[in-house]
Amino acid sequence: MKRYVLMRVLKAILTIWFVYTLVFFLARLTGDPVEWMTAAGGASEEAKQQLRHNLGLDLPLSTQYIRSLAGLFTGDSGNSYYYARPVSELFAERIGYTLSLGGIVFLVTIFIGVPLGVFAAVKHNRPADRLTMAVAIVGNTMPNFVLGILLIFFFSLKLRMFPSGNIGEPLWRYYVLPVIALAVVPTASAARLTRSSLLDVVRQDYLDSARAKGVREWKVIFKHGLRNALIPVITILGAQLSTLIGGSVVVETVFAWPGIGTLIVNSAQQRDFPVVVFGVLVIASSVTIVNLLVDLSYGLLDPRIRDSY
């Protein structure tokens, strides 16, 4: 078990480091932030050079990289070029909105998607099953940013039931549309995979034995069947959780949500390298850590996976 955990942790650390390095150097290829910052003011070349010096952009690229990487280990994520504030402070102010949105979406996925999948499996080949899967297929193919725009059009502009974006009071009204836009795809995916996984095990011999002993059908399904169908379900739930933060970047932009997604998009447009690089690091770390936890859960649920190490 220790070797299994160690290999997974090492793989996660290398993945985060690779993504950070790649984004650091690719961001520098997008252009000079000083030119963007001084485009409207007609600054002199001397003033531009002084600004580059103040921001550390006149240093060799390798030196900038080493300083940036070393700063992460000392808790210094750098200062924003545009906001002139520590990057960590900017993210601390906004991360709560992103996490709360993602957390609600994840709960919706678990408590709606998985029961829908179980319901469809129990009603296999019946009208209820076909209707549930038809809705799930439509939901699974709908891009969240397209759905977000449609929700704003109908429920904000036409019906005026919910605000079109940002945040305010009462708080719950501002969460409704972004949560729906983000939750449809993972909920549909969870329902489809739960159904297919449960159907693979629901007619196994050991479940027939449980039925022959007089165990009630709901107990056979939930206690014996669902547990053995959990590995692929956990995989999709982990994948959906890991993409919530990354996927919320687009949805946050559509709804002008004050989370880290909107901050990253705006900073990319402004060539605010420290914010962009740190933002991608946060997303990459979140995705990697979630995938690590999913991998470790495999070893707990299936001893054969753990013992192979």
Side-chain angles (χ1 to χ4, degrees), residues 142-157 164 177 181 250-251 253-255:
M142 178 71 73
N144 53 24
F145 67 92
V146 174
L147 179 59
I149 294 172
L150 292 176
L151 290 173
I152 291 174
F153 178 76
F154 286 107
F155 291 99
S156 295
L157 299 181
S164 61
L177 297 187
V250 177
V251 173
T253 304
V254 171
F255 288 96

Side-chain angles (χ1 to χ4, degrees), residues 66-138:
I66 293 172
R67 282 189 174 185
S68 177
L69 192 61
L72 294 177
F73 291 97
T74 60
D76 181 13
S77 53
N79 291 326
S80 165
Y81 300 160
Y82 184 79
Y83 297 98
R85 294 176 55 197
V87 174
S88 56
E89 288 185 6
L90 295 175
F91 277 82
E93 292 173 356
R94 294 169 175 257
I95 190 68
Y97 291 108
T98 296
L99 292 179
S100 62
L101 185 62
I104 295 173
V105 171
F106 189 63
L107 292 177
V108 170
T109 302
I110 293 175
F111 291 107
I112 295 182
V114 174
L116 278 178
V118 174
F119 173 76
V122 172
K123 303 294 183 180
H124 181 53
N125 280 337
R126 298 179 187 176
D129 174 32
R130 296 189 179 95
L131 177 62
T132 302
M133 287 301 100
V135 173
I137 290 173
V138 173

Side-chain angles (χ1 to χ4, degrees), residues 205-215 220:
D205 292 340
Y206 67 91
L207 293 184
D208 290 335
S209 299
R211 294 186 181 97
K213 294 177 181 179
V215 179
V220 171

Side-chain angles (χ1 to χ4, degrees), residues 34-44 47-48:
V34 172
E35 293 294 340
W36 186 90
M37 295 168 67
T38 59
S44 64
K48 293 180 181 179

